Amino acid sequence: MTTTNPTEPSELKTIGLTPFIYCSNQPLFHVTRDVPLGDALAMASDFLFLAKELTRDAAFNRDTDRHIWAAHYLTAMSKAVVDDVVKVLERPAATNTEPKK
């Protein structure tokens, strides 16, 4: 019987323990669990790219702060995703209780 090792990078998924965007000292959102880490990191990268573009635009358009707030929320989401991925990668590997053959 062939079993997959859940600690293989392609099998790892988010654990959904990381909150972000707080209201009244309570997290309004959190990272969703069971998203493949590669997909989660790709999304964080997209969020950071958009935040970078918005902050660049904000540097040239000083009439409004809407770009800054959008960038703020995108970076908060990105940080939460990366933090959740780090939690998965840093947790000790589950021990296999099955006898080896």
Side-chain angles (χ1 to χ4, degrees):
M1 180 167 136
T2 306
T3 59
T4 59
N5 183 356
T7 59
E8 291 293 323
S10 62
E11 299 290 320
L12 295 175
K13 297 181 179 185
T14 56
I15 54 178
L17 295 178
T18 309
F20 62 98
I21 312 297
Y22 288 79
C23 290
S24 302
N25 294 324
Q26 294 182 357
L28 186 59
F29 301 105
H30 63 84
V31 175
T32 302
R33 71 179 293 142
D34 293 331
V35 176
L37 294 192
D39 293 345
L41 289 173
M43 184 59 62
S45 178
D46 289 345
F47 289 158
L48 289 170
F49 171 78
L50 292 170
K52 179 183 76 87
E53 293 298 309
L54 288 169
T55 55
R56 189 188 64 180
D57 289 349
F60 295 109
N61 183 4
R62 296 177 191 255
D63 296 339
T64 180
D65 63 355
R66 72 173 183 240
H67 289 85
I68 294 300
W69 282 108
H72 167 75
Y73 289 118
L74 287 166
T75 54
M77 292 187 302
S78 302
K79 182 180 181 335
V81 170
V82 171
D83 288 351
D84 204 75
V85 167
V86 168
K87 288 174 186 171
V88 171
L89 295 175
E90 288 183 343
R91 73 179 174 182
T95 56
N96 188 354
T97 58
E98 291 182 29
K100 298 206 181 222
K101 296 182 181 183

